[in-house]
Amino acid sequence: MNIKILSANANLYSTQRLVEAAKARNHDVEIINHAKCDIVIEKKNPVIYYKGHKLDHTDAIIPRIGASVTFYGTAVVRQFEMMRVFTTTESQALVRSRDKLRSLQILSRAGLGLPKTVFTNYSKNVKEIVDQAGGAPVIIKLLEGTQGIGVILVETRKAAESVIEAFNNLQARVIVQEFIKEAGGADIRAFIVDGQIVGAMKRQGKDGEFRSNLHRGGTASVIKLTDEEETAALKAAKAMGLGIAGVDMLQSARGPLILEVNSSPGLEGIEQATGKDIANSIIKYIERNV
Ligand SMILES: Nc1ncnc2c1ncn2[C@@H]1O[C@H](COP(=O)(O)OP(=O)(O)OP(=O)(O)O)[C@@H](O)[C@H]1O
Ligand SMILES: [Mg+2]
């Protein structure tokens, strides 16, 4: 088969592992930088050019699209779909997953547990926002944040109101969320490929840190998910329409609560924590579908 990995950085662990896994199963594999693809649209003849060459004979793509290039990356994925190429992540699901508000709305409709979350349009009623999120302490998150940066634990109501007001003034959009204390500075990630959990890990923040991000000094270890956690993770990936998903959950007194569903989950942390060949599972997923 001819498999193309859409990735802006050929040196990333995840990209390299997918190349290795595809080659190990005797496929032709190529890394394509989606940002450098040109899309040609005309009547019934969708074409993609990359570095001056027409990309044809592609059987499947594995999109690894960074959040900063969602718009163009999605257009390239959609063009491949129009060329009837199998994609491990559908363009619609990619777009859906990148909109945090929409994602939470979809997960809520699917009946999944979520930390109570308030979005507002720079509302001046900061008191009410804090109340709606269950009162202090609350978590305040910058909508554009990643790797734990812009996620703040605010202990008191007064402080929460000041922080929300400050962000509102800067026109920085935030969400205010119930703080799940009993998660104990940890979260769990379930890695899903084609409706199956292929690996799960627990990430624990360093001492005194409520954020479990590995970038913030957290450590990852393999865990066995409970039935309830497995069901929630699979349901979340399905609701989002993702063939490959990294479902992040908090372990709470009322069961698993979904934090986020990632559409381009990294392979490094999960492969190292679990010792599993997840890249291989992704290539086999393609083989079953092409
Ligand atoms: N409501 C909450 N209650 C308790 N802990 C939380 C809550 N929200 C987030 N955390 C902790 O903070 C960490 C970072 O939060 P989150 O994953 O929402 O943001 P991020 O990692 O910066 O963004 P993204 O995952 O979108 O890249 C989580 O992994 C979790 O450990
Ligand atoms: Mg996170």
Side-chain angles (χ1 to χ4, degrees):
M1 247 185 309
N2 184 297
I3 299 173
K4 291 190 171 64
I5 301 167
L6 306 188
S7 170
N9 185 349
N11 298 319
L12 289 178
Y13 176 96
S14 301
T15 312
Q16 285 300 321
R17 285 285 300 117
L18 289 164
V19 169
E20 265 172 45
K23 283 185 177 159
R25 295 187 66 82
N26 291 317
H27 298 300
D28 289 328
V29 58
E30 204 182 334
I31 301 167
I32 297 288
N33 182 348
H34 40 275
K36 295 188 177 158
C37 288
D38 295 315
I39 294 170
V40 183
I41 302 170
E42 61 173 338
K43 185 175 170 184
K44 291 204 166 166
N45 183 29
V47 177
I48 299 176
Y49 282 90
Y50 182 62
K51 295 183 173 169
H53 298 282
K54 191 168 155 181
L55 289 185
D56 39 19
H57 309 300
T58 307
D59 296 300
I61 56 168
I62 306 176
R64 303 277 322 163
I65 312 283
S68 58
V69 288
T70 301
F71 172 75
Y72 198 72
T74 307
V76 173
V77 174
R78 203 180 301 117
Q79 187 81 349
F80 274 111
E81 288 168 349
M82 303 217 290
M83 292 156 65
R84 306 202 180 285
V85 171
F86 175 73
T87 174
T88 55
T89 306
E90 285 175 12
S91 57
Q92 275 309 313
L94 182 63
V95 174
R96 212 179 279 136
S97 76
R98 290 291 157 80
D99 181 334
K100 288 196 185 186
L101 172 53
R102 186 173 173 198
S103 296
L104 288 174
Q105 288 170 324
I106 290 167
L107 296 168
S108 150
R109 184 179 57 193
L112 287 152
L114 303 165
K116 193 169 180 197
T117 303
V118 187
F119 274 85
T120 86
N121 193 29
Y122 310 113
S123 165
K124 297 251 184 299
N125 299 325
V126 284
K127 256 197 171 69
E128 259 162 53
I129 298 170
V130 178
D131 281 340
Q132 290 296 346
V138 285
I139 297 278
I140 299 176
K141 291 184 198 181
L142 270 174
L143 209 48
E144 303 296 322
T146 181
Q147 303 181 347
I149 296 168
V151 181
I152 310 162
L153 168 59
V154 188
E155 306 274 0
T156 67
R157 158 177 297 282
K158 272 272 153 282
E161 290 175 14
S162 307
V163 171
I164 297 167
E165 270 165 8
F167 280 131
N168 279 351
N169 254 321
L170 291 168
Q171 299 264 305
R173 221 178 264 284
V174 293
I175 64 176
V176 182
Q177 200 166 64
E178 165 193 11
F179 174 52
I180 308 300
K181 186 160 191 263
E182 65 271 25
D187 72 352
I188 51 183
R189 149 113 8 140
F191 202 110
I192 292 164
V193 178
D194 198 15
Q196 304 268 359
I197 294 175
V198 294
M201 63 177 167
K202 182 166 187 164
R203 294 173 295 202
Q204 178 70 55
K206 62 179 183 206
D207 249 5
E209 172 63 69
F210 75 96
R211 295 167 301 177
S212 60
N213 301 69
L214 304 183
H215 286 98
R216 306 264 73 72
T219 48
S221 55
V222 63
I223 58 158
K224 170 94 184 80
L225 298 179
T226 63
D227 288 350
E228 197 186 10
E229 287 161 357
E230 282 194 14
T231 306
L234 291 172
K235 204 169 170 186
K238 193 170 177 207
M240 297 294 293
L242 288 166
I244 297 175
V247 181
D248 292 344
M249 296 175 279
L250 293 174
Q251 293 177 305
S252 82
R254 56 179 200 269
L257 306 179
I258 312 277
L259 265 187
E260 192 194 14
V261 183
N262 201 311
S263 54
S264 290
L267 294 177
E268 188 165 12
I270 193 85
E271 285 196 337
Q272 280 166 6
T274 61
K276 293 207 174 130
D277 188 345
I278 290 175
N280 177 62
S281 310
I282 293 174
I283 302 302
K284 286 200 205 145
Y285 166 38
I286 292 174
E287 290 171 1
R288 286 194 296 276
N289 281 278
V290 175

